[in-house]
Amino acid sequence: QVNLVESGGGLVQAGGSLRLSCAASGRTFSIYRMGWFRQAPGKEREFAATISWTSGNTYYAESVKGRFTISRDSAKNTVYLQMNSLKPDDTAAYYCAAAKDYGLGLHDMEYDYWGQGTQVTVSS
């Protein structure tokens, strides 16, 4: 079992920045990759970014590419999502997820563990 706890959400004006953190505990040695997803009210959950736990390779959704950066600190078992140039469309609940098995990490079905989510609200 892997437990994930997100933090860092909040209210920010358009153009501002936030950094989300996701601390993993438990059987962290079983993690292959981690990702961030988001879900806006009335919409389906969507992929934002993913990072390989071992290689550090990253991949981003087109909607956040160039503005968001995913990174990890293996020693702290923590993954981060630095979000810059935020837009009102970025308003959503952001979820951290961990996958045990090989995959590209673009779909939520690839992930085995999920955090409780942290709210990000961007005002115009």
Side-chain angles (χ1 to χ4, degrees), residues 74-90:
S74 300
K76 295 182 178 179
N77 288 327
T78 300
V79 66
Y80 304 96
L81 187 68
Q82 177 66 43
M83 305 184 295
N84 298 329
S85 302
L86 283 162
K87 307 174 183 179
D89 284 348
D90 295 318

Side-chain angles (χ1 to χ4, degrees), residues 7-80:
S7 61
L11 174 64
V12 64
Q13 288 188 331
S17 299
L18 280 175
R19 188 177 82 155
L20 306 182
S21 300
C22 175
S25 62
R27 298 173 64 87
T28 56
F29 60 85
S30 67
I31 297 175
Y32 173 76
R33 73 168 50 251
M34 295 189 71
W36 286 96
F37 288 75
R38 63 186 186 180
Q39 186 168 21
K43 295 186 177 181
E44 292 186 354
R45 185 164 56 189
E46 65 175 12
F47 166 77
T50 186
I51 186 167
S52 168
W53 199 244
T54 53
S55 70
N57 289 338
T58 59
Y59 190 81
Y60 299 91
E62 285 298 322
S63 58
V64 308
K65 192 177 295 183
R67 301 187 298 121
F68 290 11
T69 302
I70 188 171
S71 61
R72 88 251 192 262
D73 184 332
S74 300
K76 295 182 178 179
N77 288 327
T78 300
V79 66
Y80 304 96

